[in-house]
Amino acid sequence: MDNCRPLLLKALNKENLSTPPIWFMRQAGRYMPEYRQVRKKFKNFLDMCKNPDVCCELALQPIKAFNLDAAILFSDILTIPDAFGLKVKFEENKGPIFHNPVKSIEDIENLKPFYPKSLAYVYEAVSNIKNSLPNNIPLIGFTGSPWTLAAYSIEGSTSKNFNKTINFIKKHKEASHILLAKFTDACFLYVREQVKSGADVIQIFDSWANILDESNFSSFSLQYLRSLISALKNDIVTKNIPIILFLRSPKCSTSELINTSTDCISLYTAMQNFDIDVASGKVAIQGNLDPKILLESKDVIKKESHKILNKFKDYPGYIFNLGHGITPNINPDKVKFLTDTVREF
Ligand code: CP3
């Protein structure tokens, strides 16, 4: 019976496995020709996310191509700000653009309430994907972290250093906390609906943790990650769902991350000095091959993936992944090669 339990769930339960489960952040995306075929039918990326049948097809593409150990919901983290009325559009090669970004205290006070039902298209995608997957492949649902969602909502687009956002939170501290609390509630309700619809695991993306200094990370991000995870761990629907927390180089200690009660920490590429000894037995670890290695020769891919596999060989609960998402310039053959290399190790 136990042999049938998916590898990903065993690893998240901190079991030491002879072969780690493997999946990739952004495993569905522009690097795949079959994705580009579907993508060209939609001008605005978010319109594609609003079509649950298309999301199902896209989430299954990498499973079919590479026989991975987990599927991830096809959607985006910016569905929540869009549902708050900030009007998110993804235009050709520009990344996300907010037509109604948060510009003032009044904008935060006047934000319309979050109705979890307004994201029904996401939950429908979850149940479609779940129903199409074989039983042994778990489905990962996800949300952005309250901080990362707030950063995009204030900046109004993506950015190198998010200067506008950093100035805003300094100038409007109290209002920023109100915004973060609203996003935290929304993330909780959103994840809860994804779990009700069939998500087996939840990943939280704090992709912009790195732009906060130590004290700001603690008050503007970590605090809300802690309340979100605590709400999930105390809710009857979500309490047994393992949580993976991805953060881009946060300025805090390993113990502070463990103390969020997350089940797993997904290491960003640059987090090479993360304290494995402190984490061992407390959280599972996911990651963190540099996605750029996939541009190298097969020999290099093999050498670099073996380095990581050796590092985590005896770690209780290890999931193979990249340190960030697969980029559009990657050849899918290399993804297949990497997957086979990890399985043969
Ligand atoms: O396969 C998967 O991983 C599932 C789907 C997924 C997408 N976005 C699809 C997507 C997931 C989990 C995300 C999360 C996401 N979205 C994050 C967190 C992860 C990270 O990268 O740090 C962030 C920050 C976003 C916001 C976002 N979405 C940006 C900044 C962009 C534009 C940049 C880019 O890569 O194009 C997107 C667009 C996006 N999200 C695409 C995909 C497949 C490409 C859109 C296209 O085809 O035009």
Side-chain angles (χ1 to χ4, degrees):
M1 189 60 197
D2 197 53
N3 289 339
C4 312
R5 258 180 77 231
L7 278 182
L8 180 76
L9 299 184
K10 288 187 185 177
L12 286 168
N13 197 31
K14 301 187 277 290
E15 293 170 36
N16 188 246
L17 305 165
S18 50
T19 309
I22 174 166
W23 72 280
F24 300 108
M25 288 188 268
R26 285 286 173 91
Q27 59 192 24
R30 283 164 295 185
Y31 78 102
M32 291 184 89
E34 51 271 56
Y35 173 88
R36 295 195 297 268
Q37 257 333 79
V38 177
R39 176 69 180 91
K40 68 183 183 200
K41 296 183 206 155
F42 298 84
K43 189 164 179 282
N44 176 11
F45 169 73
L46 217 48
D47 289 338
M48 186 167 80
C49 295
K50 290 178 183 172
N51 185 320
D53 292 328
V54 169
C55 291
C56 180
E57 180 184 350
L58 295 175
L60 293 175
Q61 285 177 347
I63 306 299
K64 288 182 184 143
F66 314 116
N67 183 26
L68 300 164
D69 291 301
I72 180 160
L73 162 66
F74 191 87
S75 189
D76 198 81
I77 62 166
L78 301 180
T79 51
I80 289 184
D82 190 56
F84 269 102
L86 305 184
K87 293 208 164 53
V88 183
K89 295 246 154 50
F90 287 83
E91 279 141 22
E92 211 67 48
N93 298 322
K94 271 201 249 158
I97 304 287
F98 286 58
H99 289 253
N100 275 338
V102 170
K103 293 192 294 295
S104 61
I105 299 179
E106 293 72 39
D107 285 352
I108 293 174
E109 286 165 351
N110 297 334
L111 224 47
K112 68 174 196 186
F114 173 73
Y115 298 108
K117 279 211 175 103
S118 63
L119 293 177
Y121 65 87
V122 177
Y123 323 136
E124 208 180 311
V126 170
S127 70
N128 283 357
I129 301 165
K130 183 67 189 168
N131 291 333
S132 311
L133 281 172
N135 279 337
N136 61 334
I137 310 277
L139 174 58
I140 304 169
F142 67 87
T143 178
S145 70
W147 162 249
T148 288
L149 297 183
Y152 277 113
S153 303
I154 296 166
E155 200 71 20
S157 66
T158 196
S159 161
K160 253 206 158 76
N161 44 27
F162 281 76
N163 277 336
K164 201 197 278 180
T165 305
I166 298 295
N167 288 332
F168 186 96
I169 62 166
K170 272 192 206 148
K171 198 165 156 203
H172 307 299
K173 217 169 170 174
E174 216 175 298
S176 300
H177 282 292
I178 294 172
L179 180 65
L180 286 161
K182 288 186 186 198
F183 279 143
T184 305
D185 290 345
C187 290
F188 167 69
L189 295 170
Y190 184 53
V191 164
R192 195 170 188 273
E193 290 302 317
Q194 290 184 35
V195 170
K196 278 203 226 160
S197 306
D200 302 293
V201 171
I202 292 294
Q203 179 150 329
I204 302 171
F205 288 96
D206 198 2
S207 303
W208 294 106
N210 61 314
I211 61 177
L212 295 171
D213 64 24
E214 204 175 324
S215 106
N216 281 339
F217 176 72
S218 172
S219 72
F220 290 96
S221 182
L222 190 61
Q223 177 189 173
Y224 296 97
L225 287 170
R226 253 192 260 114
S227 27
L228 173 59
I229 296 170
S230 148
L232 292 170
K233 292 292 176 194
N234 286 300
D235 183 85
I236 184 104
V237 175
T238 51
K239 64 180 182 192
N240 294 322
I241 297 293
I243 296 170
I244 305 174
L245 178 56
F246 167 84
L247 314 98
R248 187 191 312 217
S249 304
K251 294 186 184 68
C252 71
S253 68
T254 303
S255 327
E256 282 172 299
L257 293 180
I258 293 168
N259 289 341
T260 59
S261 302
T262 187
D263 298 277
C264 176
I265 296 173
S266 187
L267 300 177
Y268 178 65
T269 311
M271 288 164 73
Q272 299 297 342
N273 296 328
F274 181 83
D275 198 333
I276 297 177
D277 295 332
V278 170
S280 182
K282 299 198 178 89
V283 284
I285 288 184
Q286 172 173 283
N288 66 342
L289 183 73
D290 186 344
K292 287 200 193 81
I293 297 292
L294 286 169
L295 293 168
E296 303 287 336
S297 67
K298 290 186 173 174
D299 282 348
V300 174
I301 295 175
K302 190 165 181 174
K303 191 171 130 242
E304 293 299 321
S305 57
H306 278 196
K307 263 195 218 163
I308 295 197
L309 288 163
N310 275 316
K311 179 168 166 186
F312 289 104
K313 186 161 55 50
D314 299 316
Y315 191 87
Y318 173 64
I319 300 159
F320 193 91
N321 206 315
L322 304 174
H324 205 192
I326 303 182
T327 48
N329 54 353
I330 299 298
N331 179 345
D333 293 343
K334 299 283 182 65
V335 176
K336 176 84 180 95
F337 177 78
L338 173 59
T339 309
D340 294 342
T341 304
V342 172
R343 294 245 168 81
E344 283 157 16
F345 177 74

